[in-house]
Amino acid sequence: MFFIKYYITTPIFYVTNKPHIGTAYTVIIADILARWHRLAGNDVFFLTGTDEHGEKIEEAAKKSKKTPQELVDEVSEDYKNLWKDLGITNNDFIRTTDKKHVETVGKFLTEIYKKGDIYKGAYEGWYCVPDETFITELQLVDGKCPICGREVKKVKEESYFFKLSKYQDRLLELYNKNPKFLMPKNKSQEIINRVKSGLNDISISRSTVKWGVELPMEKDHTVYVWFDALVNYLSAINWPNESYKKYWPADLHLVGKEINWFHSVIWPAMLFSIGLDVPKTIFAHGWWTVEGKKMSKSLGNVVDPLDIIKKYGNDSLRYFYVREIPLGDDADFSEKALISRINGELVNDLGNLVYRTLTLVEKFSGDIKGNKELEEKINIQKINNYMNDFDTFNAIEEIWSIVRNTNKYINEKEAWKLSGEELGSVLYNLLESLRIISILIAPFMPETSEKIRKQLGNKVENLSDCTFKTYTGKVKKEGHLFEKIK
Ligand code: MSP
């Protein structure tokens, strides 16, 4: 069988913070895309993991009176467990303290050094520890970090530099030639303008930080944590071993907007340096606030996704994430908004459709067959195109229009008044539409999809099964899919 490979990644998560509703967003969206590509028959490699080196971790460990190793072992387990609870279907989980990764970073830097793109100098400027970012005097906003608004510290130390400036033209050419490299479109200009305005070489080693990968050129330095972290996308697939070619270049690095620069500028320049292909797309998604405010420990408004899924279920949260905003926009989380989606769309639209249909089918004893009048309204290609363009928002809207149309069909036909062949034909249209809906929602709401499939008595299917066929299911109604929340 012919498979198209699809390599999708999330950023690797800092183990200083417990996962929250914002971090869960990145991994859930990536999971939805990964599941969609599997449904379409692609050979998916879905990677996530934890970012475990650097000053931020060193400091956090000191504060919690643990060794860095103890801290990273503990919190990376929390991430792994939460991802399991969230039903994430990653194929691998990389930790930057894995021996394989540490070795790969060494090899990667040695290659760049051989190309003449690394030189020794000294760094003098500002550093934001929470963002692990070097910041120039000009970038400061009111003396604070331009990314997170927190305090920055003065740093003066010996350091090795990467010749980022050398790659300005190649980067601009990349953005120009590959319109899908920088996504979404409305955020790409910001990056292009910054690159056009000129690139400085960047510091890539720390001589005052101990918790990191040893710099191959000078053992007293550790590799700057971002230069270490980005390499995870290659170490996970065994670069430089030939087998990396099975999945490289990555099809999608899904990242949050604040780390777009590292992925859209620094990462491709690193790859140019050693002569590797660049990923096909960097997609920068937006940020979630909670009831209008940025989440922070000091405000005490950090929402734990575990609490949400315990209360409302995994599928409700997944549905909410894609339904609220187009991927790329910022959004606001509140339980009120979540409840309104559950009651309005999951209970009323989808839940009711399944319940009404199965009630009618259970009372019917004739043949379920007839015309295919609902089939022409279902446009699978359109949904697949949206998903290939990372447009989860319009994809779910299109799927929902099938749900709404099918509900409308019951009303227009006044199905409850029908009998005999006429009812058999209406039920055929309803059951086939529902079977297709259950397939299409599987990446978005896997548990709900499974519940519908079981009640319809269908086998597991994929995207190529989304056409009307001879009805062969065996219906078994099992109560409501979703409960109305008061
Ligand atoms: N370790 C780096 C990434 C290195 S990738 C080579 C990092 N980690 S992080 O833990 O701070 O962030 C991980 C992801 O969570 C990022 O994509 C980030 O944008 C996302 N989010 C963190 N808070 C968020 C919100 N409030 N809303 C949406 N996503 C947010 O950056």
Side-chain angles (χ1 to χ4, degrees), residues 139-382:
Q139 288 173 314
L140 290 177
V141 176
D142 299 328
K144 304 235 166 80
C145 170
I147 304 171
C148 65
R150 283 174 283 202
E151 295 291 334
V152 286
K153 68 183 237 188
K154 190 98 195 170
V155 169
K156 188 177 175 189
E157 62 188 41
E158 210 178 53
S159 183
Y160 282 76
F161 285 80
F162 169 62
K163 289 186 186 165
L164 181 65
S165 59
K166 180 174 156 188
Y167 294 101
Q168 181 183 22
D169 291 343
R170 285 216 36 204
L171 286 166
L172 291 171
E173 188 191 330
L174 164 71
Y175 307 149
N176 191 22
K177 282 199 179 145
N178 299 31
K180 271 188 115 173
F181 182 79
L182 294 178
M183 296 275 282
K185 283 275 131 299
N186 59 7
K187 286 205 185 116
S188 61
Q189 206 50 44
E190 198 184 311
I191 295 282
I192 296 172
N193 291 345
R194 247 180 100 184
V195 173
K196 271 190 185 153
S197 74
L199 291 172
N200 294 322
D201 292 346
I202 54 163
S203 186
I204 58 154
S205 77
R206 302 290 315 268
S207 43
T208 56
V209 176
K210 294 281 155 266
W211 182 244
V213 179
E214 210 173 73
L215 189 76
M217 302 103 229
E218 190 157 339
K219 308 266 180 243
D220 284 348
H221 288 225
T222 53
V223 177
Y224 167 47
V225 63
W226 269 99
F227 236 67
D228 157 358
L230 287 161
V231 177
N232 91 86
Y233 303 129
L234 280 174
S235 51
I237 54 167
N238 302 325
W239 181 88
N241 184 308
E242 282 297 290
S243 62
Y244 87 94
K245 289 184 178 155
K246 181 172 180 206
Y247 290 113
W248 195 257
D251 292 85
L252 172 66
H253 291 320
L254 180 68
V255 302
K257 62 179 182 179
E258 87 290 6
I259 56 172
N260 195 7
W261 179 258
F262 293 97
H263 286 84
S264 298
V265 181
I266 297 177
W267 180 226
M270 288 161 73
L271 294 165
F272 284 152
S273 174
I274 61 169
L276 285 176
D277 286 343
V278 297
K280 293 186 186 152
T281 297
I282 311 291
F283 196 107
H285 69 66
W287 265 54
W288 285 83
T289 49
V290 170
E291 294 180 8
K293 296 203 179 71
K294 193 173 167 185
M295 266 176 283
S296 79
K297 276 185 207 153
S298 50
L299 282 179
N301 65 345
V302 179
V303 178
D304 184 343
L306 212 51
D307 293 340
I308 298 299
I309 62 169
K310 271 187 197 145
K311 234 163 139 180
Y312 305 103
N314 255 325
D315 284 5
S316 304
L317 177 63
R318 293 169 73 99
Y319 178 77
F320 180 76
Y321 276 149
V322 286
R323 197 71 169 128
E324 278 295 287
I325 34 130
L327 194 60
D329 288 7
D330 292 331
D332 188 52
F333 180 88
S334 71
E335 281 193 56
K336 207 171 145 202
L338 175 64
I339 291 170
S340 139
R341 291 274 177 209
I342 296 173
N343 287 347
E345 293 158 32
L346 298 182
V347 176
N348 282 351
D349 296 341
L350 184 61
N352 265 348
L353 173 63
V354 173
Y355 198 81
R356 289 167 90 192
T357 304
L358 296 192
T359 307
L360 288 166
V361 174
E362 276 195 339
K363 283 192 207 143
F364 184 69
S365 55
D367 282 342
I368 296 187
K369 61 177 190 195
N371 64 40
K372 300 181 176 181
E373 56 189 332
L374 278 185
E375 191 181 23
E376 66 193 30
K377 292 194 176 145
I378 300 177
N379 191 342
I380 303 296
Q381 195 51 47
K382 193 171 171 190

Side-chain angles (χ1 to χ4, degrees), residues 126-135 145 148 151-153:
W126 302 95
Y127 195 80
C128 172
V129 179
D131 286 326
E132 295 282 18
T133 305
F134 294 98
I135 293 156
C145 170
C148 65
E151 295 291 334
V152 286
K153 68 183 237 188

